[in-house]
Amino acid sequence: MSRSADIVFNAIPNTIEEFMALPQAALSNPFDTAALTVVALSVYPVNRDLSTQMLQYLRGPRPMMPMDLQFIRDRFMDHDYVPRSYFLGTSPANDYTPQMPYTIRVFDGPYSYNTQGMAQLFLQSSGADSPRPIELRLAKDGKWYLWEQYLLSGIRAPESTNPWA
């Protein structure tokens, strides 16, 4: 049986201290870590350094490598709206503009916990037909850290950028 969780944020953090002060930043379950990953990625278009700090925090003892940073940079070259598409209430019609409070739905599946100490959860982009996976790993400290994210694949463009919409 699948479980889902709606993770709610009243605001998008403007500093790493605000990010780490969020209740979800305790990383006590994989659902919170998955939702925080979307928050961190959504900050990237306005503040790359802050987004990178947030992602580094979410990765815990596994630091980001130059290749990871380049991958994220490449994904944002033309599609800065992709992370916003994971917030509930967004769509191509409203240019993926999230409504407050910001809510992200994270869900698991029948094979989400097949590997001990790992979880593969899913998030639905409002611009994609199928959910996107995110992998999280439980560390010795009892926290769930970001292991791998597959959230930045292309989606339908916002209607404001589509002359045929």
Side-chain angles (χ1 to χ4, degrees), residues 84-154:
R84 295 191 314 265
S85 74
Y86 293 100
F87 290 98
L88 295 184
T90 63
S91 71
N94 70 8
D95 294 328
Y96 300 109
T97 304
Q99 302 166 357
M100 291 182 66
Y102 304 105
T103 305
I104 301 164
R105 180 167 294 144
V106 183
F107 56 96
D108 63 13
Y111 306 107
S112 287
Y113 308 100
N114 275 358
T115 304
Q116 185 171 346
M118 299 289 290
Q120 183 181 55
L121 301 180
F122 300 91
L123 296 103
Q124 181 65 56
S125 163
S126 59
D129 295 329
S130 57
R132 305 288 168 87
I134 183 168
E135 295 176 357
L136 307 124
R137 185 170 185 178
L138 181 61
K140 290 187 281 186
D141 63 5
K143 295 180 180 182
W144 285 92
Y145 291 102
L146 172 62
W147 189 252
E148 196 66 59
Q149 59 83 16
Y150 305 94
L151 305 177
L152 297 176
S153 299

Side-chain angles (χ1 to χ4, degrees), residues 20-125:
M20 292 170 56
L22 292 169
Q24 297 86 355
L27 309 180
S28 60
N29 68 72
F31 291 86
D32 285 347
T33 305
L36 284 171
T37 301
V38 171
V39 170
L41 291 170
S42 72
V43 169
Y44 192 88
V46 293
N47 190 333
R48 290 181 183 184
D49 291 337
L50 177 58
S51 175
T52 301
Q53 290 174 28
M54 292 172 171
L55 291 167
Q56 194 65 50
Y57 174 78
L58 294 173
R59 287 177 58 112
R62 185 171 163 245
M64 292 182 72
M65 305 305 284
M67 181 178 67
D68 300 315
L69 297 170
Q70 183 62 45
F71 174 81
I72 292 171
R73 250 191 320 273
D74 291 349
R75 292 301 162 286
F76 277 99
M77 290 185 97
D78 300 319
H79 300 55
D80 72 346
Y81 51 84
V82 173
R84 295 191 314 265
S85 74
Y86 293 100
F87 290 98
L88 295 184
T90 63
S91 71
N94 70 8
D95 294 328
Y96 300 109
T97 304
Q99 302 166 357
M100 291 182 66
Y102 304 105
T103 305
I104 301 164
R105 180 167 294 144
V106 183
F107 56 96
D108 63 13
Y111 306 107
S112 287
Y113 308 100
N114 275 358
T115 304
Q116 185 171 346
M118 299 289 290
Q120 183 181 55
L121 301 180
F122 300 91
L123 296 103
Q124 181 65 56
S125 163

